[in-house]
């Protein structure tokens, strides 16, 4: 199974041309940046890096694995991608989350429904979630692969470097000497490894999950002392993660209308809003926006937007 060569679309909006790297179209089920991040665990998924010495030992360290374990939110895009990976590898998949709310239990949909259909074993941890998750790492046995929340693992570099190779080749074929790459950040893993493997271009990002400080910290966690090529963070000081803001809905609706592309409703509304507000601050053109997939989770966010609108216009 190859996870390579996603197409690039383009559209015009506000007198700018935007290119979109369509990782949402990477594969029918396994797509987006989560598939890139997990490509390491699928032998032969990449082309360009497959012979790279850094990854020569790829999969040797996972020969004995029969169970993958992770943790985080109950609508996580990573959770769903792990459920696909586990199914492909015939691994058991155990996922820990905090107690599900009544609303979630009443209407299991989106990523959660799809992951359960892939036989994910969901376990609710009612107390001391953070301590519990830390211990998953320290107490794991040889047959278990424990993936950090959001997939902030160094193994992600393998698939992201493939993405970088595709972008370089595309830019060359288009005769683009310069390029701005934009990707919305959660853990920052995608932005960081993209910038590392595309030193000739500038990668911009914005913090969707934590604040500016959190994202900087995440970068440094992943690179250690090698803090040379860090992406530029366009700070998001306003919007909280997975929260429905009317202005974000307006932005993403306009972008979707202009592009005829469906975007993720958790990261991309913040990503596009911040990118569009920062255009005069970004020098290089053209702009390539990385579509990281995740649209399976859109039902949940749409419900939140509808509910927020309902509260807004109730009276
Ligand atoms: C996970 C995700 C991101 C953020 O990726 P990180 O590598 O954690 O920064 C962005 N967009 C979508 C749609 C995602 O699913």
């Amino acid at each position: 199974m190859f996870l390579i060569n996603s197409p690039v679309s383009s559209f015009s909006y506000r007198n700018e041309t935007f290119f979109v790297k369509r990782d949402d179209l990477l594969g029918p089920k396994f797509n987006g940046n989560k598939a890139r991040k997990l490509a390491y665990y699928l032998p032969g998924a990449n082309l360009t890096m497959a012979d790279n010495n850094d990854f020569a030992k790829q999969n040797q360290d996972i020969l004995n694995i029969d169970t993958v374990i992770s943790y985080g939110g109950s609508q996580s895009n990573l959770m769903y991608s792990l459920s696909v990976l586990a199914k492909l590898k015939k691994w058991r998949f155990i996922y820990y989350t905090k107690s599900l709310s009544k609303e979630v239990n009443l209407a299991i949909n989106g990523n959660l429904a799809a992951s359960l259909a892939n036989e994910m074993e969901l376990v609710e941890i009612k107390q001391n979630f953070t301590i519990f998750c830390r211990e998953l790492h320290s107490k794991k046995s040889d047959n278990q692969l424990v993936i950090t929340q959001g997939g902030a693992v160094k193994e992600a570099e393998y698939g992201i470097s493939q993405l970088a190779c595709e972008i370089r080749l595309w830019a060359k074929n288009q005769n683009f000497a310069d390029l701005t790459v934009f990707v919305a950040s959660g853990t920052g893993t995608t932005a960081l490894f993209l910038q590392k493997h595309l030193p000739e271009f500038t990668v911009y990002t914005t913090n969707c999950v934590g604040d500016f400080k959190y994202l900087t910290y995440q970068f440094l966690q992943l690179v250690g002392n090698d803090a040379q090529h860090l992406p530029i963070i366009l700070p998001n000081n306003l919007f909280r993660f997975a929260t429905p803001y009317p202005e974000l809905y307006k932005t993403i609706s306009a972008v979707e209308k202009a592009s005829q592309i469906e975007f993720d409703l958790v990261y991309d509304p913040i990503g596009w809003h911040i990118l569009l507000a920062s255009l005069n601050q970004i020098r290089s053109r053209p702009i390539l926006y990385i579509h990281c997939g995740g649209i399976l989770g859109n039902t949940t966010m749409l419900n939140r937007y509808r509910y927020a609108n309902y509260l807004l216009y109730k009276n």
Side-chain angles (χ1 to χ4, degrees):
M1 181 198 205
F2 287 123
L3 292 172
I4 53 165
N5 293 339
S6 60
V8 175
S9 307
S10 69
F11 70 99
S12 298
Y13 182 61
R14 293 190 187 168
N15 293 325
E16 282 272 353
T17 300
F18 294 96
F19 292 89
V20 182
K21 178 71 171 160
R22 303 293 303 275
D23 268 9
D24 55 320
L25 303 177
L26 197 58
K29 283 195 173 159
F30 208 36
N31 60 45
N33 70 337
K34 303 306 182 291
R36 299 278 191 186
K37 285 164 124 177
L38 297 174
Y40 177 85
Y41 302 105
L42 282 172
N46 281 5
L47 280 185
T48 31
M49 293 296 292
D51 299 321
N52 188 309
N53 285 334
D54 289 353
F55 294 99
K57 278 198 271 161
Q58 190 211 5
N59 292 305
Q60 296 235 343
D61 49 349
I62 56 164
L63 279 178
N64 299 324
I65 299 301
D66 63 17
T67 302
V68 58
I69 295 173
S70 191
Y71 48 89
S74 65
Q75 276 300 335
S76 155
N77 290 335
L78 181 75
M79 170 190 77
Y80 168 68
S81 292
L82 280 172
S83 79
V84 178
L85 175 73
K87 210 173 164 184
L88 284 167
K89 302 283 286 187
K90 299 191 168 61
W91 289 343
R92 228 180 123 185
F93 175 32
I94 308 170
Y95 190 79
Y96 297 97
T97 192
K98 291 179 187 172
S99 298
L100 298 181
S101 66
K102 236 193 239 150
E103 292 76 28
V104 170
N105 263 319
L106 277 175
I108 291 187
N109 57 26
N111 284 324
L112 182 56
S115 304
L116 291 170
N118 284 338
E119 288 164 79
M120 173 181 80
E121 298 167 41
L122 182 71
V123 184
E124 289 174 64
I125 301 298
K126 304 213 152 89
Q127 282 166 7
N128 300 325
F129 186 70
T130 312
I131 296 169
F132 178 87
C133 294
R134 205 177 302 142
E135 288 186 347
L136 289 173
H137 289 274
S138 57
K139 291 184 178 164
K140 81 175 188 70
S141 50
D142 285 347
N143 65 323
Q144 295 175 336
L145 173 67
V146 181
I147 304 276
T148 311
Q149 178 162 16
V153 292
K154 62 179 180 354
E155 286 79 4
E157 184 172 359
Y158 174 75
I160 304 293
S161 68
Q162 166 71 31
L163 172 60
C165 287
E166 292 173 26
I167 293 170
R168 175 175 298 117
L169 193 66
W170 170 81
K172 191 170 166 250
N173 287 338
Q174 301 281 325
N175 284 320
F176 292 150
D178 219 345
L179 187 69
T180 284
V181 177
F182 184 94
V183 60
S185 276
T187 64
T189 313
T190 308
L192 180 88
F193 288 133
L194 256 189
Q195 182 64 90
K196 179 174 173 189
H197 289 271
L198 284 175
E200 70 272 45
F201 301 135
T202 309
V203 176
Y204 286 84
T205 188
T206 190
N207 50 297
C208 298
V209 170
D211 58 6
F212 182 92
K213 261 183 159 167
Y214 157 84
L215 189 54
T216 311
Y217 174 79
Q218 285 290 115
F219 288 159
L220 296 177
Q221 285 287 98
L222 283 164
V223 286
N225 296 325
D226 175 27
Q228 268 208 334
H229 295 290
L230 296 188
I232 297 180
I233 306 173
L234 302 164
N236 159 32
N237 301 318
L238 277 178
F239 306 113
R240 294 183 50 189
F241 189 62
T243 310
Y245 295 88
E247 61 265 55
L248 291 187
Y249 194 69
K250 225 174 122 188
T251 300
I252 199 67
S253 302
V255 169
E256 290 194 338
K257 193 168 168 229
S259 64
Q260 293 293 304
I261 297 170
E262 183 181 6
F263 286 93
D264 153 271
L265 288 178
V266 178
Y267 297 89
D268 288 328
I270 301 178
W272 277 109
H273 199 85
I274 299 282
L275 172 63
L276 290 168
S278 314
L279 285 179
N280 51 13
Q281 196 182 318
I282 298 172
R283 282 228 212 98
S284 301
R285 292 292 187 278
I287 295 173
L288 178 69
Y289 189 100
I290 311 295
H291 191 319
C292 290
I295 56 177
L296 191 59
N298 279 357
T299 26
T300 320
M301 266 317 277
L302 262 180
N303 287 340
R304 280 185 204 160
Y305 272 110
R306 288 205 186 102
Y307 188 63
N309 257 330
Y310 161 76
L311 293 181
L312 208 61
Y313 298 115
K314 195 167 56 160
N315 300 315

CSV table of all heavy atoms in Angstrom, one decimal, residues 33-34 37 77 150 184-190 264 267 292-294, ligand 1:
chain,number,residue,atom,x,y,z
A,33,ASN,N,-2.8,14.1,7.2
A,33,ASN,CA,-1.5,14.0,7.7
A,33,ASN,C,-1.3,12.9,8.7
A,33,ASN,O,-0.2,12.5,9.0
A,33,ASN,CB,-1.1,15.4,8.3
A,33,ASN,CG,-1.9,15.7,9.6
A,33,ASN,OD1,-3.0,15.2,9.8
A,33,ASN,ND2,-1.3,16.6,10.4
A,34,LYS,N,-2.4,12.4,9.3
A,34,LYS,CA,-2.3,11.2,10.2
A,34,LYS,C,-1.8,10.0,9.5
A,34,LYS,O,-1.0,9.2,10.0
A,34,LYS,CB,-3.6,10.9,10.9
A,34,LYS,CG,-4.2,12.1,11.6
A,34,LYS,CD,-3.2,12.7,12.6
A,34,LYS,CE,-3.7,13.9,13.5
A,34,LYS,NZ,-4.0,15.1,12.7
A,37,LYS,N,1.8,10.5,9.1
A,37,LYS,CA,2.5,10.3,10.3
A,37,LYS,C,2.6,8.9,10.7
A,37,LYS,O,3.6,8.5,11.4
A,37,LYS,CB,1.8,11.1,11.5
A,37,LYS,CG,1.9,12.6,11.4
A,37,LYS,CD,0.9,13.2,12.3
A,37,LYS,CE,1.5,14.1,13.4
A,37,LYS,NZ,0.5,14.8,14.1
A,77,ASN,N,-8.8,12.8,15.1
A,77,ASN,CA,-8.5,12.2,13.7
A,77,ASN,C,-7.4,11.1,13.8
A,77,ASN,O,-7.4,10.2,13.0
A,77,ASN,CB,-8.0,13.4,12.8
A,77,ASN,CG,-9.1,14.3,12.5
A,77,ASN,OD1,-10.3,14.0,12.5
A,77,ASN,ND2,-8.7,15.6,12.2
A,150,GLY,N,-2.2,12.6,19.6
A,150,GLY,CA,-2.0,13.5,18.4
A,150,GLY,C,-0.9,13.0,17.5
A,150,GLY,O,-0.6,13.5,16.5
A,184,ALA,N,-1.9,24.1,9.3
A,184,ALA,CA,-2.5,24.4,10.7
A,184,ALA,C,-1.9,23.3,11.6
A,184,ALA,O,-1.7,22.2,11.3
A,184,ALA,CB,-4.0,24.3,10.7
A,185,SER,N,-1.5,23.8,12.8
A,185,SER,CA,-0.9,22.9,13.8
A,185,SER,C,-1.7,22.5,15.0
A,185,SER,O,-2.5,23.3,15.5
A,185,SER,CB,0.4,23.6,14.4
A,185,SER,OG,1.5,23.4,13.5
A,186,GLY,N,-1.6,21.2,15.3
A,186,GLY,CA,-2.1,20.7,16.6
A,186,GLY,C,-0.8,20.5,17.5
A,186,GLY,O,-0.4,21.4,18.2
A,187,THR,N,-0.2,19.4,17.3
A,187,THR,CA,1.0,19.1,18.0
A,187,THR,C,2.2,19.8,17.4
A,187,THR,O,3.3,19.8,18.0
A,187,THR,CB,1.3,17.6,18.0
A,187,THR,OG1,1.5,17.1,16.7
A,187,THR,CG2,0.1,16.8,18.6
A,188,GLY,N,2.0,20.2,16.1
A,188,GLY,CA,3.2,20.9,15.4
A,188,GLY,C,4.1,19.9,14.7
A,188,GLY,O,5.0,20.3,14.1
A,189,THR,N,3.8,18.6,14.8
A,189,THR,CA,4.7,17.6,14.2
A,189,THR,C,4.8,17.8,12.7
A,189,THR,O,5.9,17.7,12.1
A,189,THR,CB,4.1,16.2,14.6
A,189,THR,OG1,3.8,16.2,16.0
A,189,THR,CG2,5.2,15.1,14.3
A,190,THR,N,3.6,18.0,12.1
A,190,THR,CA,3.6,18.1,10.6
A,190,THR,C,4.4,19.3,10.2
A,190,THR,O,5.3,19.2,9.3
A,190,THR,CB,2.2,18.2,10.1
A,190,THR,OG1,1.5,17.1,10.7
A,190,THR,CG2,2.1,18.1,8.6
A,264,ASP,N,-11.5,20.4,6.9
A,264,ASP,CA,-11.7,19.9,8.2
A,264,ASP,C,-12.3,21.1,9.0
A,264,ASP,O,-11.9,22.3,8.8
A,264,ASP,CB,-10.4,19.4,8.8
A,264,ASP,CG,-10.3,19.6,10.3
A,264,ASP,OD1,-9.8,20.6,10.7
A,264,ASP,OD2,-10.7,18.6,11.0
A,267,TYR,N,-9.4,22.3,12.6
A,267,TYR,CA,-8.1,23.0,12.4
A,267,TYR,C,-8.2,24.0,11.3
A,267,TYR,O,-7.7,25.1,11.4
A,267,TYR,CB,-7.0,22.0,12.0
A,267,TYR,CG,-6.7,21.0,13.1
A,267,TYR,CD1,-7.3,19.8,13.1
A,267,TYR,CD2,-5.7,21.3,14.0
A,267,TYR,CE1,-7.0,18.8,14.1
A,267,TYR,CE2,-5.4,20.3,15.0
A,267,TYR,CZ,-6.0,19.1,15.0
A,267,TYR,OH,-5.7,18.2,16.0
A,292,CYS,N,-5.0,18.6,5.5
A,292,CYS,CA,-4.6,17.5,6.3
A,292,CYS,C,-5.7,16.4,6.5
A,292,CYS,O,-5.5,15.6,7.4
A,292,CYS,CB,-4.1,18.0,7.7
A,292,CYS,SG,-2.5,18.8,7.6
A,293,GLY,N,-6.7,16.5,5.7
A,293,GLY,CA,-7.8,15.5,5.8
A,293,GLY,C,-8.7,15.8,7.0
A,293,GLY,O,-8.9,17.0,7.4
A,294,GLY,N,-9.2,14.8,7.7
A,294,GLY,CA,-10.0,15.0,8.9
A,294,GLY,C,-11.4,15.3,8.7
A,294,GLY,O,-12.1,15.6,9.7
B,1,LIG,C1,-3.9,16.4,13.2
B,1,LIG,C2,-4.3,17.5,12.3
B,1,LIG,C3,-3.6,18.7,12.2
B,1,LIG,C4,-2.4,19.0,13.1
B,1,LIG,O1,-1.3,18.1,12.9
B,1,LIG,P1,-0.1,18.2,13.9
B,1,LIG,O2,1.0,17.4,13.2
B,1,LIG,O3,-0.5,17.6,15.1
B,1,LIG,O4,0.3,19.6,14.1
B,1,LIG,C5,-4.1,19.6,11.3
B,1,LIG,N1,-5.2,19.4,10.5
B,1,LIG,C6,-5.9,18.2,10.6
B,1,LIG,C7,-7.1,18.1,9.8
B,1,LIG,C8,-5.5,17.2,11.5
B,1,LIG,O5,-6.2,16.1,11.6
